[in-house]
Amino acid sequence: MKTGLALVVLGVSLGAEVQAQLLVGDRQRLAFERPESWAMAHAAAGTLFLGSGPPVPEKPWHLQIGAELASIPHIDRADTRVGFNGTKFEDLNKSPVFGRARLWLSLPFKLTAEVSYAPPVTIDGVRPDGIYGFALERPLVESSRWTAGVRLFGQAAHVEGSITCSEDVFPLGQPDFERNPFGCAAPSSDDAELDHYGLEFSSSRETDDGRWRPFVAFALSRLDGRVQIHAPLLNGVIDRSVRETSGTLRTATLGIRWRPDDRWDWTVAVSYTPLEVERPPDFNRDSDDFWSLRVIARLSLLE
């Protein structure tokens, strides 16, 4: 009798727990011009695994290590209204910069392989949880001063953080329709995957002293974006919706590469990625582009 009563109590408790945590959500494939897709493209543009100028071949097995720091432009509050096709504010301004470590290895046949890694540093509730890049590049045309090259690159990016329900946007846990219209109960733990792969062409001319190399580059990137929402709402509801999109990003870069000595190599570049979006109420297609200033330092481990 006692055993049966215990099972009944356990069953009621489990039922109450399931009822208290009702899971809702759907999966949608979004057009690339939707506001939600624009937000994913904007975030991906800040992490594109672009080169540091035209490939300059070194001796085979020459190893270089370095780091990159790129700016991320601030998004006006009106433009953070991207959820539900441009009707809900999201917390998109998480960090003004993006950084990663980079490593280059020169190979035979004038090839250079490169890998990158972004450390899992939490900033304002968002943490990279695996951002790995790989690239292979080589010069196509070389003369006494001019160099043109090609770069094949790809990156797998997974980021976790509070985007859909953030205390910086809503008074969490308060049933206030004016200030918390979507009923966010606590910070969300959303998962974003912003994988991309692409091709970049670049050209430069070396100065007479061999230390400066101004360059231009153009890249085409294919973005596969996916956001898995995990937002606790009022009344014990948890939103587990999924939003997916894909599209092509075009990026133009203007920069200069400086080699002060045989070991150090510095690159400063400005990149521009045009982005289009259709926002309510008229849903006309507008340009809301991405600009970034990038600084890359590399150090040769072999003289």
Side-chain angles (χ1 to χ4, degrees), residues 240-257:
R240 294 286 289 165
S241 301
V242 176
R243 299 292 181 263
E244 298 174 323
T245 192
S246 60
T248 300
L249 301 178
R250 306 176 307 278
T251 304
T253 300
L254 179 65
I256 188 167
R257 190 168 169 177

Side-chain angles (χ1 to χ4, degrees), residues 33-65:
E33 293 76 24
R34 286 253 308 213
E36 303 97 318
S37 300
W38 172 87
M40 284 188 258
H42 189 278
T47 70
L48 289 177
F49 192 30
L50 303 175
S52 55
V56 178
E58 303 283 353
K59 294 180 180 180
W61 318 120
H62 182 88
L63 186 66
Q64 296 174 304
I65 60 172

Side-chain angles (χ1 to χ4, degrees), residues 201-222:
F201 298 92
S202 55
S203 178
S204 72
R205 185 187 187 280
E206 188 178 63
T207 58
D208 293 338
D209 60 6
R211 298 191 180 277
W212 299 89
R213 189 183 289 269
F215 69 89
V216 295
F218 179 76
L220 287 174
S221 311
R222 181 67 178 181

Side-chain angles (χ1 to χ4, degrees), residues 169-188:
V169 179
F170 303 110
L172 303 181
Q174 299 185 19
D176 187 333
F177 184 77
E178 294 295 329
R179 302 174 59 203
N180 187 16
F182 295 93
C184 291
S188 59

Side-chain angles (χ1 to χ4, degrees), residues 89-242:
F89 289 108
E90 309 287 12
D91 190 3
L92 303 181
N93 290 307
K94 288 299 188 178
S95 174
V97 296
F98 170 75
R100 63 180 143 208
R102 305 176 70 149
L103 183 146
W104 297 262
L105 177 64
S106 298
L107 303 174
F109 307 107
K110 298 184 178 181
L111 290 169
T112 300
E114 182 182 357
V115 294
S116 70
Y117 172 69
V121 178
T122 301
I123 300 178
D124 195 16
V126 169
R127 181 175 69 93
D129 188 25
I131 299 183
Y132 304 93
F134 176 79
L136 197 63
E137 61 184 20
R138 86 177 303 277
L140 295 178
V141 179
E142 295 179 277
S143 67
S144 58
R145 295 298 179 193
W146 286 95
T147 301
V150 63
R151 172 185 176 88
L152 179 66
F153 62 93
Q155 180 172 274
H158 181 207
V159 180
E160 299 178 351
S162 56
I163 300 172
T164 56
C165 281
S166 170
E167 56 189 357
D168 292 336
V169 179
F170 303 110
L172 303 181
Q174 299 185 19
D176 187 333
F177 184 77
E178 294 295 329
R179 302 174 59 203
N180 187 16
F182 295 93
C184 291
S188 59
S189 54
D190 309 310
D191 293 327
E193 296 178 6
L194 303 172
D195 302 340
H196 69 263
Y197 57 91
L199 199 63
E200 183 178 27
F201 298 92
S202 55
S203 178
S204 72
R205 185 187 187 280
E206 188 178 63
T207 58
D208 293 338
D209 60 6
R211 298 191 180 277
W212 299 89
R213 189 183 289 269
F215 69 89
V216 295
F218 179 76
L220 287 174
S221 311
R222 181 67 178 181
L223 168 65
D224 292 321
R226 179 181 180 273
V227 175
Q228 168 73 71
I229 299 171
H230 188 282
L233 308 179
L234 298 174
N235 300 323
V237 177
I238 298 179
D239 186 357
R240 294 286 289 165
S241 301
V242 176

